[in-house]
């Protein structure tokens, strides 16, 4: 009874979904990420902010081993998803990327129908028992992508025929179709107009209920609107990480302060 504030604080404590320790990334001789340590919470939107070239995308790509696909790229350190080392040689990167989905800067639907864009992942991962089951998965994913109503009457039309904002929501639906646990988004609104941006931001807020979402954004306004946690990167260092409100109102590091007040970046 008497210690209820403490109990409440405990309830607020989110599980750690991803723990990164001593992460270093090199592209040949370029040292792009320098000893980054961070714990990313479940059911939380975490924003990565910082000036262009500071390593936001590079670090994001470490979290689902997308950097494996870049020849010159070398990743060191330890990254655990639910306590399991994702760089362990027994981990299949394709399976990992189904669990840790990704949405890119430019909407990139496959040159296939809306239906097949969503069905692709569930098919290769054998998630559907039969056609009816696959139909259900597609419908559910499109609903979670907040685009079902706009496309339900034209599921067999090409995904590339949608507007930019619809394409991005289709890509988000495609990412959630494989039942991921984490969604990585690299500047997902940078190719969208303000209305489509608003729709995607609203969707990100809803996704937080079920997923751990990590979003790279060059817009501090967007970080402030959608995230609960913010990490500020500068020259490959994670300079400051904390509650979004605190980062924007009471930054602890002078570099963070310079950036949010517009002096660097
Ligand atoms: N594929 C790559 N090959 C070589 N260098 C790269 C590559 N991608 C990024 N870099 C370098 O790594 C650093 C961080 O880049 P990046 O992660 O793209 O930053 P941000 O997303 O914050 O703009 C930069 O110096 C950039 O030039
Ligand atoms: Mg980037």
């Amino acid at each position: 009874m008497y210690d209820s504030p403490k109990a409440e604080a405990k309830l607020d404590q989110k599980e750690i979904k991803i723990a990164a320790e001593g992460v270093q990334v090199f592209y040949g001789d370029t040292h792009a990420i320098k000893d980054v340590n961070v714990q990313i919470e479940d059911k939380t939107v975490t924003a990565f902010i910082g000036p262009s070239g500071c390593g936001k995308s590079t670090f994001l790509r470490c979290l689902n081993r997308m950097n494996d696909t870049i020849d010159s790229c070398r990743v060191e350190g330890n990254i655990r998803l639910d306590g399991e080392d994702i760089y362990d040689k027994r981990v299949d990167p394709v399976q990992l990327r189904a669990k840790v989905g990704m949405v890119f800067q430019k909407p990139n639907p496959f040159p296939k129908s809306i239906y097949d864009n969503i069905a692709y992942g569930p098919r290769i991962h054998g998630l559907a028992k039969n056609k009816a089951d696959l139909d259900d998965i597609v419908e559910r994913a499109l609903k979670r992508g907040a685009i079902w109503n706009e496309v339900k009457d034209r599921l067999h039309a090409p995904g590339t025929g949608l507007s930019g904002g619809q394409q991005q929501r289709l890509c988000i639906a495609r990412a959630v179709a494989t039942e991921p646990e984490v969604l990585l988004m690299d500047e997902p609104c940078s190719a969208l107009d303000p209305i489509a941006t608003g729709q995607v931001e609203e969707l990100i807020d809803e996704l937080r209920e079920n997923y751990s979402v990590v979003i790279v954004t060059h817009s501090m306004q967007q970080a402030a609107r959608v995230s609960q946690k913010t990490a500020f990167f500068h020259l490959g260092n994670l300079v400051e990480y904390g509650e979004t409100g605190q980062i924007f109102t009471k930054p602890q590091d002078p570099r963070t302060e310079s950036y949010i007040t517009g002096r660097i970046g």
Side-chain angles (χ1 to χ4, degrees), residues 55-126:
K56 305 179 294 295
S57 298
T58 297
F59 186 66
L60 190 76
R61 287 196 301 265
C62 291
L63 306 181
N64 69 346
R65 291 183 55 174
M66 281 299 274
N67 287 324
D68 288 18
T69 63
I70 301 172
D71 276 341
S72 68
C73 190
R74 199 170 87 242
V75 178
E76 290 175 7
N78 187 277
I79 299 178
R80 276 166 286 130
L81 172 69
D82 292 328
E84 308 264 354
D85 177 7
I86 65 168
Y87 283 85
D88 188 289
K89 54 183 180 311
R90 284 165 302 187
V91 171
D92 173 1
V94 175
Q95 295 291 342
L96 173 69
R97 291 176 203 137
K99 264 202 214 173
V100 185
M102 192 150 191
V103 174
F104 299 86
Q105 198 163 351
K106 219 172 134 255
N108 59 348
F110 304 135
K112 291 170 179 286
S113 69
I114 292 166
Y115 185 98
D116 285 335
N117 261 277
I118 307 297
Y120 181 82
R123 276 192 187 117
I124 57 173
H125 293 288

Side-chain angles (χ1 to χ4, degrees), residues 9-71:
K10 236 182 202 160
L11 273 181
D12 262 8
Q13 195 69 49
K14 298 271 167 55
E15 254 174 63
I16 302 303
K17 195 68 189 168
I18 297 181
E21 268 173 31
V23 175
Q24 316 259 3
V25 182
F26 302 85
Y27 296 103
D29 294 332
T30 308
H31 195 177
I33 289 291
K34 299 164 185 162
D35 192 25
V36 166
N37 298 284
V38 69
Q39 297 195 322
I40 290 169
E41 293 173 357
D42 198 13
K43 303 196 178 4
T44 300
V45 179
T46 302
F48 289 175
I49 63 167
S52 176
C54 67
K56 305 179 294 295
S57 298
T58 297
F59 186 66
L60 190 76
R61 287 196 301 265
C62 291
L63 306 181
N64 69 346
R65 291 183 55 174
M66 281 299 274
N67 287 324
D68 288 18
T69 63
I70 301 172
D71 276 341

Side-chain angles (χ1 to χ4, degrees), residues 188-231:
C189 299
S190 64
L192 307 184
D193 63 41
I195 292 177
T197 296
Q199 288 168 327
V200 170
E201 286 183 0
E202 217 169 279
L203 172 58
I204 291 169
D205 194 52
E206 285 163 21
L207 293 171
R208 169 162 71 93
E209 244 177 71
N210 295 303
Y211 308 96
S212 167
V213 180
V214 186
I215 178 173
V216 168
T217 176
H218 61 254
S219 158
M220 287 185 271
Q221 290 79 2
Q222 180 168 66
R225 282 193 300 266
V226 303
S227 72
Q228 293 76 51
K229 286 281 165 77
T230 293

